[in-house]
Amino acid sequence: MDTKRIVRLYWDKRCQTYDKGGYKSQNKTQHFWKNILKNAVRTDENLRILDVGTGTGFLALLFAEMKHTVVGIDISRGMLEKARQNADKLNLTVDFMHGDAENLPLEDETFDIVINRHLLWTIPNPRIAVEEWSRVVKSGGQIMLIDGKWYDSSIDMRLRRFIGKIFVYMTEKRNPCMFTSHYANIKYQLPFYNGSTPNDVVDIFTEAGLKNISVDNLEKLKQFENENRSLSYKISNKPSLFLALGNK
Ligand SMILES: C[S@@+](CC[C@H](N)C(=O)[O-])C[C@H]1O[C@@H](n2cnc3c(N)ncnc32)[C@H](O)[C@@H]1O
């Protein structure tokens, strides 16, 4: 089975539980992330923003709430369905579309900002993807990427992940092994499956011809996650996330 089909199958199943675990307070989380976004990109006027790998619409909905015109794209129809439900609940309008981050069904130079969060690790061809995002962004527009190091192979973290799986099973009522059973078959096709570093992303952005490249190590996010993440998440994960920006 091809890599993207397995990615899609996983997220089509995961959509049922994606919004349930994770954070203690959704409101606090949304407020915190809105501030991160306001500090990172222009939010002064009505902009056209594309959220690639939008999932259940986390970033897309925050930008819609800030009165921007937002398109959210995802390879999983299940995640998109949840995103639409989330938009309805909040009475927000986002154009959620089915599509592949590496081959966007969109015209050249039509967005002011292209954003993505927690997508790079599950992309088979990151360089092609960033070139594609650059194709649809207007000249002078911005690309914002949020990802980081996900996988720590130390014995301590292996043990914690094992215990975390039991917690996930008990508290989120989902099978944590579903992730491994899907991604074990394809992880070698995903160059950043274990995560990426700021240098990795700076290299890809540079190769795609982006300018004014900068990286924020999101130090405040570490503290926020410590205080606001659910116990099951904190046991299994110690990601080191960053936000990278580049201009076309
Ligand atoms: C970890 S989730 C992140 C969702 C959302 N960005 C967030 O921050 O909550 C990864 C998402 O990327 C989507 N995805 C994976 N590969 C993709 C691709 N090639 N094109 C578009 N979306 C993709 C998955 O379906 C999933 O919804």
Side-chain angles (χ1 to χ4, degrees):
M1 219 190 286
D2 93 280
T3 306
K4 283 185 190 159
R5 189 165 138 74
I6 294 176
V7 169
R8 184 163 50 72
L9 284 176
Y10 172 73
W11 291 101
D12 277 347
K13 291 182 191 157
R14 182 71 171 93
C15 68
Q16 299 300 338
T17 51
Y18 188 72
D19 287 337
K20 285 186 187 150
Y23 286 102
K24 289 180 193 162
S25 154
Q26 287 302 324
N27 282 351
K28 240 175 152 180
T29 306
Q30 282 159 354
H31 180 74
F32 179 84
W33 271 96
K34 226 186 243 180
N35 280 334
I36 289 193
L37 301 175
K38 278 184 188 160
N39 287 331
V41 295
R42 291 164 51 201
T43 50
D44 45 336
E45 52 188 291
N46 181 353
L47 301 169
R48 225 176 115 67
I49 297 179
L50 172 68
D51 180 19
V52 192
T54 189
T56 55
F58 183 81
L59 290 184
L61 293 167
L62 291 180
F63 277 108
E65 217 167 59
M66 291 188 256
K67 310 265 181 270
H68 299 292
T69 304
V70 188
V71 175
I73 278 211
D74 204 282
I75 205 166
S76 155
R77 292 187 194 276
M79 292 295 267
L80 288 168
E81 192 45 43
K82 287 282 167 192
R84 290 188 189 106
Q85 288 169 12
N86 287 341
D88 284 349
K89 274 186 222 151
L90 296 166
N91 211 9
L92 292 170
T93 306
V94 172
D95 184 5
F96 286 113
M97 295 172 60
H98 183 249
D100 181 350
E102 296 178 357
N103 186 14
L104 296 169
L106 297 163
E107 305 273 307
D108 293 359
E109 310 217 332
T110 38
F111 291 89
D112 297 293
I113 308 177
V114 175
I115 56 174
N116 62 89
R117 188 182 81 146
H118 308 171
L119 170 71
L120 189 69
W121 67 274
T122 184
I123 289 281
N125 304 292
R127 281 180 179 77
I128 291 178
V130 175
E131 280 168 15
E132 187 61 354
W133 306 341
S134 174
R135 177 181 71 74
V136 300
V137 89
K138 293 175 189 167
S139 179
Q142 270 181 314
I143 294 181
M144 183 193 88
L145 178 153
I146 298 165
D147 213 75
K149 267 274 167 244
W150 294 102
Y151 187 76
D152 177 340
S153 59
S154 66
I155 298 199
D156 167 47
M157 279 313 291
R158 280 170 195 246
L159 185 64
R160 288 174 62 146
R161 273 195 294 275
F162 177 73
I163 298 166
K165 280 183 182 162
I166 299 170
F167 263 77
V168 163
Y169 188 72
M170 282 165 34
T171 56
E172 293 177 34
K173 308 274 182 268
R174 70 176 166 95
N175 176 5
C177 299
M178 186 177 79
F179 175 78
T180 325
S181 66
H182 282 77
Y183 273 89
N185 300 318
I186 55 168
K187 61 183 179 186
Y188 300 110
Q189 321 313 324
L190 307 173
F192 295 119
Y193 173 76
N194 289 334
S196 54
T197 64
N199 281 346
D200 293 328
V201 172
V202 169
D203 285 351
I204 305 177
F205 274 19
T206 308
E207 281 173 29
L210 300 184
K211 299 170 217 135
N212 308 324
I213 299 167
S214 64
V215 174
D216 176 346
N217 283 321
L218 298 177
E219 288 304 329
K220 282 189 184 155
L221 179 64
K222 290 190 184 91
Q223 193 191 332
F224 179 82
E225 299 255 304
N226 247 335
E227 290 164 7
N228 293 284
R229 277 290 192 174
S230 65
L231 184 59
S232 58
Y233 183 92
K234 282 196 286 185
I235 292 172
S236 326
N237 299 282
K238 249 196 318 186
S240 159
L241 298 177
F242 60 87
L243 181 156
L245 283 169
N247 282 90
K248 180 165 171 183

